[in-house]
Amino acid sequence: MSTTLTADRAEVAELFARLADLLDARRPDDARTVYHDDIVVHSPRGGELRGLAEVTGFLKSALTGEELTQHVHGDVLVHLDGDRATAAANQLVYFYRDGEPPHRTGGLRVACGAARTPEGWRFTEMRITPAWTREH
């Protein structure tokens, strides 16, 4: 039982890293690898987004020009309840142009719900709350 709980916690925590990877690599079509079909995302930039298609569409529209991002997650907490979980993490986001230092940095708190699916754990809900922003 303990091995299963540890593996589930690790898989839910890994969703944050996989999300950062697809955002930073600009692969919005891979959103299905971290988000449930019925995902609900609450964010200051996108408002309330419902469903995988809407979230993927928003991610595609957010790819602007030459601005790149680097997402770093830490302090990940995962609480399991069978096939459901809640998780939270602190996130730093660096906005930059290739070969240049960041021109903007932001600190966020990300709180999520997750569910076990046949494909593995997926985020079912996400609430993104800004803590601070710094223009460089």
Side-chain angles (χ1 to χ4, degrees):
M1 180 72 136
S2 160
T3 303
T4 301
L5 290 175
T6 300
D8 285 343
R9 276 192 183 92
E11 189 173 341
V12 172
E14 185 181 294
L15 286 173
F16 289 103
R18 291 184 12 226
L19 175 61
D21 182 61
L22 77 87
L23 292 172
D24 295 343
R26 302 171 68 120
R27 296 188 329 268
D29 288 325
D30 288 345
R32 71 189 174 289
T33 66
V34 295
Y35 291 126
H36 191 277
D37 289 341
D38 298 325
I39 181 68
V40 177
V41 176
H42 308 271
S43 78
R45 288 180 57 203
E48 182 176 282
L49 304 169
R50 294 188 162 273
L52 186 58
E54 196 169 308
V55 170
T56 301
F58 174 78
L59 294 176
K60 286 179 179 180
S61 72
L63 297 177
T64 57
E66 297 177 11
E67 185 175 68
L68 302 172
T69 58
Q70 181 180 27
H71 292 74
V72 180
H73 290 90
D75 302 327
V76 178
L77 298 173
V78 177
H79 300 281
L80 297 169
D81 185 13
D83 289 340
R84 313 255 337 140
T86 56
N90 288 314
Q91 182 184 73
L92 295 175
V93 184
Y94 300 93
F95 298 87
Y96 67 99
R97 288 180 182 75
D98 195 29
E100 297 178 15
H103 58 272
R104 184 177 55 203
T105 308
L108 308 171
R109 185 72 178 153
V110 183
C112 303
R116 186 190 319 270
T117 73
E119 296 80 31
W121 286 90
R122 297 293 186 267
F123 288 130
T124 56
E125 184 172 7
M126 180 172 284
R127 184 169 300 279
I128 302 165
T129 306
W132 56 269
T133 301
R134 179 177 178 206
E135 298 289 333
H136 301 278

